[in-house]
């Protein structure tokens, strides 16, 4: 049952919302979970092996079930305030707290233990953004590369890209708060955006990156602007001029009083990391903790109207925001959260882009209209 329930909950996120098979799997997950609730041991909150009396607990199976149920709750496949889910989280916490529960076992339960522990670690935040969706643009940023199988695949600023240029670590931040991370590989129409709370555009392609880029046009800006006015939260990350379509971005951003300047700032030569070092003080408006961040080869932002700067460095605005109707726009001068600078391997230990990204996501969650 542990293997089966894990397979169900791990498979569901890979189905499109309108795929009829997704509903079949979701029903199976709900049905099996209901059965497991009936078999939950009242004394321990865990599960006994079926038809074994007296109750015999299976450590590996317990961790599998705890992981699957906790993940199902985080992703919205189970009720938000189900007390039995809370009991499962509490039970695995008690088991983890008892160090001897692992010391006398072989390595078999370690994988399931780590999965369950990770879900437990997310429990305090997992419901903050549950049911919300972020769409990451795959239309304006649509460059492709050949993979190991010789097939062309999209890359660069993609949720599922584990390479240095991917956004898998950034996506994990959203997912830890219960937000569904999805791609929008078509033009951003009102219809395509209507069920999303967040839409993010990152460094649209230039001819240097893509011989056939989908340039952002006025018609796209009109659709996105209408969606923001209705309460959408728009995140736009630019780059330095040669590496992003700044002119196209400004067709959109000028509507909100935010303008990306086609200049090169925070230029870094090789791995001379201090050239991109930003010392950020804690500020309840955005970064709730202090950080040492790293921005490399950025543009800058000019403001007009009732916009608000959120990060300045060397007299230049690097992050700013604007309210528009019921919605919010966040402008960032660099795509600073790709894996190369969030995985903790390349940058010196003092740099904390991942921590800054966590603060940014928490700020974004607060911008969604109630």
């Amino acid at each position: 049952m542990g293997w089966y329930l894990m397979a169900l909950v791990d498979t569901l996120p890979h189905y499109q919302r309108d795929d009829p098979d997704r509903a079949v799997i979701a029903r199976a997950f709900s049905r099996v979970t209901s059965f497991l609730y009936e078999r939950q041991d009242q004394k321990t909150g865990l599960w006994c092996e079926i038809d074994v009396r007296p109750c015999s607990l299976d450590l590996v199976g317990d961790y599998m079930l705890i992981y699957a149920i906790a993940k199902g709750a985080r992703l919205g496949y189970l009720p938000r305030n189900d007390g039995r889910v809370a009991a499962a989280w509490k039970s695995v916490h008690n088991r983890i707290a008892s160090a001897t529960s692992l010391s006398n076992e072989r390595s078999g339960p370690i994988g399931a233990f780590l999965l369950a522990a990770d879900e437990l670690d997310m429990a305090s935040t997992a419901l903050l953004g549950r049911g919300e969706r972020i769409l990451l643009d795959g239309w304006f940023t649509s460059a492709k590369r050949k993979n190991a199988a010789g097939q062309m695949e999209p890359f660069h600023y993609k949720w599922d890209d584990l390479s240095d240029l991917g956004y898998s670590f950034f996506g994990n931040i959203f997912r830890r708060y219960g937000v569904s991370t999805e791609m929008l590989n078509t033009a951003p129409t009102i219809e395509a955006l209507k069920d999303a709370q967040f839409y993010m555009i990152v460094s649209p392609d230039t001819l240097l990156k893509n011989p056939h880029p989908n340039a952002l046009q006025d018609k796209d800006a009109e659709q996105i602007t209408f969606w923001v006015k209705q309460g959408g939260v728009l995140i736009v990350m630019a780059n330095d001029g040669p590496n992003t379509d700044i002119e196209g971005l400004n067709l959109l951003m000028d509507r909100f009083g935010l303008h990306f300047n086609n200049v090169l700032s925070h230029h870094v030569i090789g791995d001379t990391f201090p050239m991109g070092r930003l010392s950020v003080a804690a500020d309840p408006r955005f970064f709730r903790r202090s950080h040492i961040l790293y921005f490399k080869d950025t543009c800058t932002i000019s403001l007009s109207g009732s916009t608000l700067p959120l990060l300045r460095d060397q007299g230049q605005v690097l992050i700013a925001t604007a309210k528009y109707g019921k919605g919010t726009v966040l402008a960032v001068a660099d795509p600073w959260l790709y894996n190369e600078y969030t995985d903790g391997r390349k940058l010196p230990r003092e740099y904390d882009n991942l921590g800054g990204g966590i603060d940014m996501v928490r700020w974004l969650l607060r911008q969604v209209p109630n």
Side-chain angles (χ1 to χ4, degrees), residues 118-310:
D118 189 47
E119 286 294 337
L120 178 65
D121 184 56
M122 289 187 277
S124 63
T125 62
L127 301 183
L128 296 179
R130 200 179 83 152
E132 296 175 358
R133 301 170 65 202
I134 179 169
L135 296 179
L136 174 57
D137 163 64
W139 178 252
F140 305 118
T141 306
S142 59
K144 295 184 178 181
R145 66 182 173 191
K146 187 176 291 186
N147 62 21
Q151 302 168 329
M152 299 302 292
E153 64 178 6
F155 78 109
H156 217 164
Y157 316 126
K158 300 295 183 284
W159 297 133
D160 60 354
D161 186 352
L162 303 178
S163 72
D164 281 352
L165 300 178
Y167 261 174
S168 59
F169 277 79
F170 188 20
N172 284 339
I173 299 174
F174 281 101
R175 289 186 285 272
R176 291 182 76 85
Y177 288 99
V179 179
S180 172
T181 54
E182 303 173 27
M183 296 296 304
L184 181 60
N185 295 316
T186 61
T189 63
I190 295 172
E191 180 66 21
L193 296 172
K194 68 177 184 180
D195 294 326
Q197 286 69 43
F198 308 95
Y199 175 53
M200 183 161 65
I201 302 172
V202 182
S203 191
D205 295 337
T206 64
L207 287 172
L208 292 176
K209 293 182 178 181
N210 186 347
H212 306 289
N214 298 310
L216 200 153
Q217 302 177 38
D218 279 325
K219 63 180 181 180
D220 303 310
E222 290 173 2
Q223 300 279 299
I224 298 170
T225 300
F226 179 86
W227 172 79
V228 172
K229 189 175 183 179
Q230 302 306 305
V233 179
L234 173 66
I235 308 108
V236 178
M237 297 191 187
N239 211 327
D240 61 294
N243 286 301
T244 194
D245 179 16
I246 286 184
E247 182 178 352
L249 281 180
N250 283 331
L251 289 177
L252 172 64
M253 301 305 283
D254 285 349
R255 295 166 179 252
F256 309 115
L258 300 162
H259 184 89
F260 291 117
N261 302 312
N262 193 357
V263 298
L264 176 61
S265 181
H266 293 79
H267 179 51
V268 176
I269 300 174
D271 288 341
T272 311
F273 300 120
M275 298 178 73
R277 187 181 189 275
L278 281 72
S279 181
V280 177
D283 184 340
R285 295 181 306 169
F286 194 71
F287 291 115
R288 60 185 190 134
R289 296 168 296 171
S290 60
H291 301 281
I292 302 298
L293 305 180
Y294 183 71
F295 279 44
K296 176 183 178 180
D297 291 4
T298 78
C299 65
T300 63
I301 304 170
S302 293
L303 308 179
S304 61
S306 57
T307 53
L308 176 68
L310 297 174

Side-chain angles (χ1 to χ4, degrees), residues 61-91:
D62 285 335
Y63 285 136
M64 287 179 172
L65 298 178
I66 293 296
Y67 161 74
I69 292 173
K71 183 173 181 177
R74 176 169 60 85
L75 296 180
Y77 308 133
L78 298 175
R80 178 185 293 268
N81 295 317
D82 195 317
R84 293 168 295 187
V85 175
W89 282 339
K90 182 178 180 180
S91 297

